Amino acid sequence: MSRSGRDEDPDRLYTLTGGRSKPDYESFDFVTLVVSESEPTSGMSSEQAAILSMCRAPTAVVEIAAELRIPVGITTILLSDLLHAGKITVRHPQIGKATTPGAPWNSMPDTTTLEKVLVGLRNI
């Protein structure tokens, strides 16, 4: 089984991002929730159209990347373009250490834990 993004043709990824290696906005992390504000239009890349379709309900950046089978970095560049065009809005969950006494029940685990979960899922 090949892992998504690892065996991806670099030329395709370069084309998807227009040669950029970083998003224009630093608004995205793994758990940022993305919500589409419009329907896909003609002239959009198939990946951007897919993002708008799947984000009718709030969807995390890492879920979008997994569904599209492209690296998270590339996904954030595509999301940055959509945000700039007003096609999506982003919501940031309240971040706090889940192990902190008195932390809200919805606080997020640290990124080390999330990375371990991602590695475990890839090994399945």
Side-chain angles (χ1 to χ4, degrees), residues 14-113:
Y14 182 87
T15 303
L16 279 176
T17 63
R20 293 173 291 152
S21 61
K22 295 185 189 280
D24 294 336
Y25 298 100
E26 298 298 325
S27 301
F28 305 101
D29 57 25
F30 288 149
V31 295
T32 300
L33 298 176
V34 178
V35 180
S36 59
E37 296 295 331
S38 67
E39 294 295 319
T41 59
S42 62
M44 284 185 163
S45 70
S46 60
E47 289 81 9
Q48 288 178 326
I51 290 170
L52 292 179
S53 295
M54 78 175 77
C55 291
R56 290 186 179 112
T59 309
V61 170
V62 72
E63 292 177 84
I64 296 167
E67 183 69 27
L68 295 176
R69 301 183 61 86
I70 59 176
V72 173
I74 302 299
T75 303
T76 60
I77 294 170
L78 296 174
L79 290 171
S80 176
D81 293 344
L82 290 171
L83 181 62
H84 179 70
K87 303 285 186 185
I88 61 169
T89 55
V90 295
R91 300 177 187 170
H92 300 281
Q94 198 173 37
I95 302 296
K97 294 240 183 215
T99 57
T100 305
W105 66 270
N106 63 345
S107 62
M108 300 301 297
D110 62 322
T111 55
T112 304
T113 303

Side-chain angles (χ1 to χ4, degrees), residues 107-124:
S107 62
M108 300 301 297
D110 62 322
T111 55
T112 304
T113 303
L114 292 174
E115 288 173 4
K116 288 178 183 177
V117 169
L118 185 60
V119 168
L121 289 172
R122 284 184 176 156
N123 290 334
I124 293 179

